[in-house]
Amino acid sequence: MDMVPALRPVAGAPDEIERLVAGWLGDAAAPALTVRTSGSSGAPKAVALSRRAVTASATATLDRLGGPGQWVLALPPYYVGGLQVIVRSVIAGTSPVVLADHAGLAGAAGDLTHQRRYLALVPTQLHRLLSGSAGSPGSSDAEALASFDAVLLGGAAADPDLLDQARRRGVRLVTTYGMSETCGGCVYDGVPLEGVSVACGDDARVRISGSVLFDGYDGQPALTAQVLRDGWLVTPDLGRLDEDGRLEILGRADDVAVSGGVNVPLAAVERRLLGHAAVSQAAVVGVPDAEWGTRVVAVLVAAPGAEPPGLPELRDFVSAHHPRAWSPRAVVFTSSLPLLASGKVDRLALQRELGGARV
């Protein structure tokens, strides 16, 4: 299929991409635009997004949030989250304020001129802004967060305590679920956007259909056929619909480690560890092990001022809510987790590092 140039990291990217996107949206015959997935759990893929799908996603988002507004661009514009901030801005007739051009969020928010103000973040960014570790005084940035009409939070699962903390401080959070293949977030606070349908099969795999679906993977027709079936995108995620029809994500189908013959859902272990008072960030991965086949290892960042708990305490903490076999076999404390440019945890880097170390 014919493509306009793929979005990629370039100098002066926000301005350049804004011009590219504006021209692309104004061309009814425009071919698909390609964006790359972040590669947080595998090799990045080139995702072909049609003008129709991108516009449908952006329009449905603005309708759900209450109308057009001005955005602070806090995400890389060459990934789908940042791209959609620019698309929504173009559709609204506004220009985004680039966070990287300011000392902090408070400064960026001060440059907004539209009555309605929007922001999109990943959980790591929200944590840093609330804790004052984002490069500027935390109090002013936290206060700025509360000034937005909506703060979209997606890209990764968020710690419930982080959500509660933000909401107690007046932040109007909207949790989002989606991926590059759905033009970004397409389920807000568990409810699909207009024009989007969600289903969970007997295997619990989340399936999505509607106007926001991608055209396919550029140059990979076989892979496209694996995930696009009868008008539905079969995602790598496991989920369920509650009695009100809201989507709850349980984890990834491929995010299961077989350790000692037991299937260990790593996301569930991660969420439990984040509930420990002495843990502020967590990533749980499986690494090859001669005895266990795969050894479950937790990489943690201690909460400010907290003494890092030992492995026995953390194993007991996990097994208080889950089978003992799910508890990590090793724990590593670090000052920070490795991140991709998208802000997601680089799990492949952790696996490579831990696979070559004795932990």
Side-chain angles (χ1 to χ4, degrees):
M1 64 183 65
D2 294 329
M3 307 283 178
V4 297
L7 297 182
R8 57 174 59 88
V10 292
D15 288 346
E16 182 174 330
I17 292 176
E18 185 177 357
R19 288 192 296 271
L20 169 66
V21 167
W24 180 66
L25 290 174
D27 182 359
L33 183 68
T34 59
V35 298
R36 296 193 70 80
T37 61
S38 64
S40 59
S41 57
K45 299 178 285 290
V47 177
L49 302 178
S50 70
R51 175 180 175 273
R52 174 193 55 79
V54 169
T55 301
S57 172
T59 301
T61 291
L62 293 174
D63 288 345
R64 178 67 61 87
L65 296 182
Q70 190 175 15
W71 293 76
V72 167
L73 176 62
L75 301 171
Y78 40 85
Y79 289 125
V80 73
L83 167 65
Q84 281 291 38
V85 167
I86 293 176
V87 171
R88 296 168 197 145
S89 300
V90 172
I91 289 176
T94 63
S95 187
V97 174
V98 181
L99 178 60
D101 293 342
H102 298 76
L105 181 62
D111 279 352
L112 293 171
T113 57
H114 198 278
Q115 181 179 0
R116 297 193 64 81
R117 304 146 62 92
Y118 299 128
L119 174 66
L121 300 171
V122 297
T124 299
Q125 292 172 306
L126 178 62
H127 170 80
R128 291 175 176 174
L129 289 166
L130 289 174
S131 64
S133 56
S136 63
S139 59
S140 60
D141 281 345
E143 291 170 2
L145 279 169
S147 73
F148 287 87
D149 292 276
V151 176
L152 302 186
L153 188 70
D159 175 12
D161 288 341
L162 177 65
L163 301 180
D164 290 343
Q165 179 189 357
R167 286 168 175 150
R168 286 196 304 270
R169 299 178 75 165
V171 183
R172 289 176 280 275
L173 284 181
V174 178
T175 59
T176 73
Y177 167 75
M179 54 208 71
S180 300
E181 291 87 342
T182 61
C183 295
C186 62
V187 178
Y188 283 19
D189 288 334
V191 180
L193 293 175
E194 186 69 25
V196 176
S197 296
V198 174
C200 297
D202 293 338
D203 58 359
R205 289 285 282 266
V206 177
R207 291 162 168 79
I208 300 172
S209 68
S211 56
V212 300
L213 291 190
F214 75 133
D215 286 353
Y217 297 116
D218 186 23
Q220 295 182 285
L223 182 58
T224 299
Q226 287 178 20
V227 301
L228 279 180
R229 306 176 192 170
D230 300 322
W232 289 83
L233 170 68
V234 181
T235 77
D237 298 310
L238 304 177
R240 63 187 174 200
L241 299 174
D242 68 15
E243 58 186 15
D244 295 322
R246 290 180 180 268
L247 176 66
E248 177 186 357
I249 299 299
L250 304 176
R252 289 178 60 95
D254 59 359
D255 197 18
V256 174
V258 182
S259 183
V262 176
N263 290 338
V264 181
L266 301 179
V269 178
E270 193 171 289
R271 286 195 296 270
R272 175 59 180 163
L273 288 169
L274 283 169
H276 194 289
V279 175
S280 67
Q281 297 178 56
V284 179
V285 298
V287 298
D289 184 86
E291 179 180 2
W292 297 100
T294 300
R295 183 162 30 109
V296 177
V297 180
V299 183
L300 309 175
V301 176
E307 183 70 21
L311 177 61
E313 177 182 342
L314 291 171
R315 283 180 56 82
D316 289 343
F317 184 76
V318 170
S319 62
H321 281 254
H322 298 305
R324 184 74 176 180
W326 291 13
S327 299
R329 299 286 173 181
V331 173
V332 176
F333 276 90
T334 183
S335 59
S336 63
L337 298 176
L339 301 179
L340 297 162
S342 61
K344 298 180 182 180
V345 174
D346 190 341
R347 298 180 184 279
L348 295 181
L350 283 176
Q351 288 176 319
R352 288 192 297 268
E353 182 178 346
L354 295 172
R358 295 184 62 86
V359 294

